Amino acid sequence: MRSFLAVFSAALILGAAVGGVPAGASGASPPSCPRGLLFCEDFERLPPGGPSTLNWGVDTRHGTLTVERARRGNQVLHIHTVDNGRAFLRVDDFAAPGNRFYGRMRLRVDAFPTAPDWAHFTLVEATGTGSAEVVRPVGGQYAPTVPGTFWGVGADGGPTGDWTNWRESAPVAEDTWQCFEWKIDAADNRVAVWIDGVANPELTASTSDHGGNDVPFVLPTVDTVKIGWQLYQGGTTPGEFDLWIDDIALSSKRLGC
């Protein structure tokens, strides 16, 4: 009897340990939302369905945001838009010490636009006070001259104009989970990007080195960060867009992938 109880107790302990780790996760993995971050959302504590939280807002036009369970058992944010619609998770009242911060997200895009020519899309947007620049550290464009669709840093609304400095060194990957990181730093008004932990030196911008008008690029004091999807031209191919985002974090230090 004692032998049976010992085996039964050990089984309960093992079952509890196994049950406490989501499918596909490792017990050695760090938490996706450790303390001390400026903002974090891994969607695990939210109910499935439309967003239900006071931690962030929603900005949509011809688009939806839905919390749903992924194949690995974790929860993610499903973004769906029609044609040139938009759907963003919106972080308001944001403040980073020294106007310098890093961002990270895990991302899978079902399909990118192949029409119209020069179709332009944005996934991360930062705005604030002191400068009219709408900063887009993660975005891209379909370039019919290559042809191909490529990631690029960009901006709009300010003195530098509407530009996306897409790079052939950063082609998009469809239907594949990737980790994107970005840095926005008031020192030299610098923007930098990493994809799957690897820096792409061409995906950068600074005061004098950017893709816009020949005037200084000056970052705003960021108080709003939007993460999601927007496409700016109508008559797109495909006519609808789906992407999934997880493990969003904004931090004073680079978090890595």
Side-chain angles (χ1 to χ4, degrees), residues 39 41 43 55-60 65 77 79 87-91 123 225-229 245 248:
F39 174 81
E41 180 61 84
F43 307 103
N55 293 332
W56 44 272
V58 171
D59 178 4
T60 61
L65 303 175
L77 184 66
I79 297 166
F88 284 109
L89 174 158
R90 179 177 174 129
V91 183
L123 285 86
V225 180
K226 298 198 298 185
I227 298 172
W229 175 271
I245 292 178
I248 297 171

mmCIF file of all heavy atoms in Angstrom, residues 39 41 43 55-60 65 77 79 87-91 123 225-229 245 248:
data_model
loop_
_atom_site.group_PDB
_atom_site.id
_atom_site.type_symbol
_atom_site.label_atom_id
_atom_site.label_comp_id
_atom_site.label_asym_id
_atom_site.label_seq_id
_atom_site.Cartn_x
_atom_site.Cartn_y
_atom_site.Cartn_z
ATOM 1 N N PHE A 39 6.137 48.321 -21.199
ATOM 2 C CA PHE A 39 4.846 47.753 -21.615
ATOM 3 C C PHE A 39 5.084 46.312 -22.010
ATOM 4 O O PHE A 39 6.132 45.977 -22.572
ATOM 5 C CB PHE A 39 4.248 48.517 -22.802
ATOM 6 C CG PHE A 39 2.996 47.886 -23.353
ATOM 7 C CD1 PHE A 39 1.772 48.095 -22.748
ATOM 8 C CD2 PHE A 39 3.064 47.059 -24.466
ATOM 9 C CE1 PHE A 39 0.624 47.494 -23.244
ATOM 10 C CE2 PHE A 39 1.917 46.456 -24.975
ATOM 11 C CZ PHE A 39 0.694 46.675 -24.354
ATOM 12 N N GLU A 41 2.692 42.603 -23.325
ATOM 13 C CA GLU A 41 1.434 41.868 -23.536
ATOM 14 C C GLU A 41 1.741 40.554 -24.233
ATOM 15 O O GLU A 41 2.279 40.537 -25.349
ATOM 16 C CB GLU A 41 0.471 42.693 -24.380
ATOM 17 C CG GLU A 41 -0.856 42.008 -24.655
ATOM 18 C CD GLU A 41 -1.626 41.690 -23.381
ATOM 19 O OE1 GLU A 41 -2.336 42.590 -22.873
ATOM 20 O OE2 GLU A 41 -1.510 40.531 -22.904
ATOM 21 N N PHE A 43 -0.882 38.140 -24.077
ATOM 22 C CA PHE A 43 -2.251 37.718 -24.379
ATOM 23 C C PHE A 43 -2.714 36.498 -23.597
ATOM 24 O O PHE A 43 -3.841 36.044 -23.768
ATOM 25 C CB PHE A 43 -2.433 37.477 -25.890
ATOM 26 C CG PHE A 43 -1.994 38.643 -26.714
ATOM 27 C CD1 PHE A 43 -0.774 38.624 -27.384
ATOM 28 C CD2 PHE A 43 -2.766 39.784 -26.794
ATOM 29 C CE1 PHE A 43 -0.341 39.717 -28.119
ATOM 30 C CE2 PHE A 43 -2.342 40.889 -27.531
ATOM 31 C CZ PHE A 43 -1.132 40.851 -28.197
ATOM 32 N N ASN A 55 -5.313 47.770 -20.430
ATOM 33 C CA ASN A 55 -3.877 48.023 -20.584
ATOM 34 C C ASN A 55 -3.522 48.631 -21.936
ATOM 35 O O ASN A 55 -2.435 49.184 -22.092
ATOM 36 C CB ASN A 55 -3.088 46.732 -20.384
ATOM 37 C CG ASN A 55 -3.172 46.229 -18.953
ATOM 38 O OD1 ASN A 55 -3.345 47.011 -18.019
ATOM 39 N ND2 ASN A 55 -3.078 44.915 -18.790
ATOM 40 N N TRP A 56 -4.383 48.489 -22.919
ATOM 41 C CA TRP A 56 -4.131 49.060 -24.233
ATOM 42 C C TRP A 56 -5.443 49.298 -24.973
ATOM 43 O O TRP A 56 -6.475 48.728 -24.636
ATOM 44 C CB TRP A 56 -3.197 48.184 -25.072
ATOM 45 C CG TRP A 56 -3.460 46.701 -25.068
ATOM 46 C CD1 TRP A 56 -2.969 45.789 -24.189
ATOM 47 C CD2 TRP A 56 -4.274 45.964 -25.997
ATOM 48 N NE1 TRP A 56 -3.406 44.525 -24.506
ATOM 49 C CE2 TRP A 56 -4.207 44.607 -25.617
ATOM 50 C CE3 TRP A 56 -5.032 46.313 -27.110
ATOM 51 C CZ2 TRP A 56 -4.892 43.594 -26.311
ATOM 52 C CZ3 TRP A 56 -5.716 45.305 -27.807
ATOM 53 C CH2 TRP A 56 -5.626 43.971 -27.404
ATOM 54 N N GLY A 57 -5.377 50.183 -25.964
ATOM 55 C CA GLY A 57 -6.551 50.533 -26.733
ATOM 56 C C GLY A 57 -6.531 49.907 -28.117
ATOM 57 O O GLY A 57 -5.631 49.145 -28.473
ATOM 58 N N VAL A 58 -7.539 50.240 -28.909
ATOM 59 C CA VAL A 58 -7.731 49.667 -30.241
ATOM 60 C C VAL A 58 -7.956 50.801 -31.243
ATOM 61 O O VAL A 58 -8.692 51.752 -30.968
ATOM 62 C CB VAL A 58 -8.936 48.700 -30.248
ATOM 63 C CG1 VAL A 58 -9.274 48.267 -31.663
ATOM 64 C CG2 VAL A 58 -8.651 47.491 -29.374
ATOM 65 N N ASP A 59 -7.324 50.688 -32.406
ATOM 66 C CA ASP A 59 -7.503 51.638 -33.498
ATOM 67 C C ASP A 59 -7.748 50.833 -34.761
ATOM 68 O O ASP A 59 -6.840 50.166 -35.273
ATOM 69 C CB ASP A 59 -6.257 52.520 -33.634
ATOM 70 C CG ASP A 59 -6.357 53.511 -34.792
ATOM 71 O OD1 ASP A 59 -7.413 53.584 -35.444
ATOM 72 O OD2 ASP A 59 -5.359 54.215 -35.048
ATOM 73 N N THR A 60 -8.980 50.853 -35.272
ATOM 74 C CA THR A 60 -9.321 50.029 -36.427
ATOM 75 C C THR A 60 -10.144 50.812 -37.452
ATOM 76 O O THR A 60 -10.887 51.730 -37.119
ATOM 77 C CB THR A 60 -10.132 48.788 -36.020
ATOM 78 O OG1 THR A 60 -11.366 49.204 -35.414
ATOM 79 C CG2 THR A 60 -9.369 47.909 -35.055
ATOM 80 N N LEU A 65 -9.333 42.974 -34.361
ATOM 81 C CA LEU A 65 -8.341 42.339 -33.505
ATOM 82 C C LEU A 65 -9.049 41.256 -32.702
ATOM 83 O O LEU A 65 -10.087 41.514 -32.096
ATOM 84 C CB LEU A 65 -7.716 43.350 -32.544
ATOM 85 C CG LEU A 65 -7.029 44.590 -33.138
ATOM 86 C CD1 LEU A 65 -6.591 45.526 -32.027
ATOM 87 C CD2 LEU A 65 -5.842 44.183 -33.985
ATOM 88 N N LEU A 77 -2.541 37.418 -30.786
ATOM 89 C CA LEU A 77 -3.469 38.406 -31.320
ATOM 90 C C LEU A 77 -3.564 38.229 -32.828
ATOM 91 O O LEU A 77 -2.571 38.359 -33.544
ATOM 92 C CB LEU A 77 -2.991 39.824 -30.988
ATOM 93 C CG LEU A 77 -3.937 40.951 -31.407
ATOM 94 C CD1 LEU A 77 -5.237 40.880 -30.612
ATOM 95 C CD2 LEU A 77 -3.270 42.316 -31.228
ATOM 96 N N ILE A 79 -4.835 39.614 -36.280
ATOM 97 C CA ILE A 79 -5.185 40.888 -36.911
ATOM 98 C C ILE A 79 -5.707 40.600 -38.312
ATOM 99 O O ILE A 79 -5.053 39.901 -39.095
ATOM 100 C CB ILE A 79 -3.961 41.814 -36.966
ATOM 101 C CG1 ILE A 79 -3.499 42.141 -35.541
ATOM 102 C CG2 ILE A 79 -4.260 43.078 -37.752
ATOM 103 C CD1 ILE A 79 -2.140 42.762 -35.466
ATOM 104 N N ALA A 87 -5.716 47.891 -38.372
ATOM 105 C CA ALA A 87 -6.112 47.348 -37.070
ATOM 106 C C ALA A 87 -4.870 47.351 -36.187
ATOM 107 O O ALA A 87 -3.904 46.636 -36.456
ATOM 108 C CB ALA A 87 -6.678 45.935 -37.204
ATOM 109 N N PHE A 88 -4.896 48.177 -35.149
ATOM 110 C CA PHE A 88 -3.743 48.359 -34.278
ATOM 111 C C PHE A 88 -4.108 48.160 -32.816
ATOM 112 O O PHE A 88 -5.171 48.594 -32.357
ATOM 113 C CB PHE A 88 -3.173 49.782 -34.411
ATOM 114 C CG PHE A 88 -2.383 50.044 -35.652
ATOM 115 C CD1 PHE A 88 -2.886 50.869 -36.649
ATOM 116 C CD2 PHE A 88 -1.122 49.485 -35.819
ATOM 117 C CE1 PHE A 88 -2.144 51.139 -37.784
ATOM 118 C CE2 PHE A 88 -0.375 49.745 -36.965
ATOM 119 C CZ PHE A 88 -0.889 50.574 -37.950
ATOM 120 N N LEU A 89 -3.210 47.528 -32.083
ATOM 121 C CA LEU A 89 -3.150 47.615 -30.631
ATOM 122 C C LEU A 89 -2.453 48.938 -30.332
ATOM 123 O O LEU A 89 -1.400 49.230 -30.899
ATOM 124 C CB LEU A 89 -2.362 46.432 -30.081
ATOM 125 C CG LEU A 89 -2.010 46.332 -28.604
ATOM 126 C CD1 LEU A 89 -1.721 44.865 -28.251
ATOM 127 C CD2 LEU A 89 -0.773 47.179 -28.239
ATOM 128 N N ARG A 90 -3.033 49.738 -29.414
ATOM 129 C CA ARG A 90 -2.526 51.086 -29.197
ATOM 130 C C ARG A 90 -2.099 51.277 -27.748
ATOM 131 O O ARG A 90 -2.904 51.105 -26.825
ATOM 132 C CB ARG A 90 -3.604 52.102 -29.572
ATOM 133 C CG ARG A 90 -3.204 53.549 -29.374
ATOM 134 C CD ARG A 90 -4.303 54.480 -29.826
ATOM 135 N NE ARG A 90 -3.975 55.869 -29.498
ATOM 136 C CZ ARG A 90 -4.014 56.879 -30.351
ATOM 137 N NH1 ARG A 90 -4.358 56.655 -31.603
ATOM 138 N NH2 ARG A 90 -3.721 58.095 -29.965
ATOM 139 N N VAL A 91 -0.816 51.622 -27.546
ATOM 140 C CA VAL A 91 -0.273 51.895 -26.223
ATOM 141 C C VAL A 91 -0.223 53.409 -26.035
ATOM 142 O O VAL A 91 0.587 54.098 -26.671
ATOM 143 C CB VAL A 91 1.132 51.295 -26.056
ATOM 144 C CG1 VAL A 91 1.646 51.531 -24.637
ATOM 145 C CG2 VAL A 91 1.125 49.802 -26.383
ATOM 146 N N LEU A 123 3.591 48.163 -39.624
ATOM 147 C CA LEU A 123 3.248 47.294 -38.505
ATOM 148 C C LEU A 123 3.519 47.939 -37.150
ATOM 149 O O LEU A 123 2.903 47.537 -36.162
ATOM 150 C CB LEU A 123 4.006 45.963 -38.595
ATOM 151 C CG LEU A 123 3.474 44.988 -39.641
ATOM 152 C CD1 LEU A 123 4.082 45.277 -41.017
ATOM 153 C CD2 LEU A 123 3.753 43.546 -39.251
ATOM 154 N N VAL A 225 2.454 54.327 -29.023
ATOM 155 C CA VAL A 225 3.019 53.292 -29.897
ATOM 156 C C VAL A 225 1.873 52.413 -30.369
ATOM 157 O O VAL A 225 1.087 51.919 -29.554
ATOM 158 C CB VAL A 225 4.074 52.445 -29.168
ATOM 159 C CG1 VAL A 225 4.637 51.380 -30.105
ATOM 160 C CG2 VAL A 225 5.205 53.316 -28.629
ATOM 161 N N LYS A 226 1.774 52.221 -31.683
ATOM 162 C CA LYS A 226 0.741 51.359 -32.255
ATOM 163 C C LYS A 226 1.406 50.154 -32.920
ATOM 164 O O LYS A 226 2.409 50.311 -33.633
ATOM 165 C CB LYS A 226 -0.109 52.122 -33.265
ATOM 166 C CG LYS A 226 -0.877 53.291 -32.662
ATOM 167 C CD LYS A 226 -2.017 53.763 -33.549
ATOM 168 C CE LYS A 226 -1.562 54.264 -34.879
ATOM 169 N NZ LYS A 226 -2.680 54.822 -35.679
ATOM 170 N N ILE A 227 0.831 48.977 -32.697
ATOM 171 C CA ILE A 227 1.380 47.728 -33.237
ATOM 172 C C ILE A 227 0.238 46.951 -33.882
ATOM 173 O O ILE A 227 -0.773 46.665 -33.225
ATOM 174 C CB ILE A 227 2.044 46.899 -32.125
ATOM 175 C CG1 ILE A 227 3.218 47.679 -31.522
ATOM 176 C CG2 ILE A 227 2.525 45.545 -32.660
ATOM 177 C CD1 ILE A 227 3.822 47.036 -30.290
ATOM 178 N N GLY A 228 0.381 46.627 -35.151
ATOM 179 C CA GLY A 228 -0.676 45.914 -35.863
ATOM 180 C C GLY A 228 -0.412 45.931 -37.353
ATOM 181 O O GLY A 228 0.643 45.483 -37.807
ATOM 182 N N TRP A 229 -1.359 46.485 -38.133
ATOM 183 C CA TRP A 229 -1.218 46.477 -39.595
ATOM 184 C C TRP A 229 -2.019 47.614 -40.195
ATOM 185 O O TRP A 229 -3.172 47.848 -39.806
ATOM 186 C CB TRP A 229 -1.706 45.153 -40.160
ATOM 187 C CG TRP A 229 -1.717 45.059 -41.668
ATOM 188 C CD1 TRP A 229 -2.727 45.414 -42.515
ATOM 189 C CD2 TRP A 229 -0.655 44.586 -42.509
ATOM 190 N NE1 TRP A 229 -2.368 45.190 -43.820
ATOM 191 C CE2 TRP A 229 -1.100 44.675 -43.846
ATOM 192 C CE3 TRP A 229 0.612 44.077 -42.254
ATOM 193 C CZ2 TRP A 229 -0.313 44.278 -44.923
ATOM 194 C CZ3 TRP A 229 1.406 43.683 -43.328
ATOM 195 C CH2 TRP A 229 0.942 43.777 -44.646
ATOM 196 N N ILE A 245 0.339 38.179 -33.943
ATOM 197 C CA ILE A 245 1.394 38.810 -33.159
ATOM 198 C C ILE A 245 1.362 38.275 -31.739
ATOM 199 O O ILE A 245 0.295 38.019 -31.176
ATOM 200 C CB ILE A 245 1.228 40.348 -33.165
ATOM 201 C CG1 ILE A 245 1.496 40.896 -34.574
ATOM 202 C CG2 ILE A 245 2.161 41.016 -32.163
ATOM 203 C CD1 ILE A 245 1.303 42.394 -34.693
ATOM 204 N N ILE A 248 4.601 40.926 -27.213
ATOM 205 C CA ILE A 248 4.938 42.330 -27.424
ATOM 206 C C ILE A 248 5.576 42.891 -26.158
ATOM 207 O O ILE A 248 5.075 42.670 -25.052
ATOM 208 C CB ILE A 248 3.683 43.146 -27.777
ATOM 209 C CG1 ILE A 248 3.078 42.656 -29.098
ATOM 210 C CG2 ILE A 248 4.001 44.627 -27.853
ATOM 211 C CD1 ILE A 248 1.726 43.276 -29.400
#
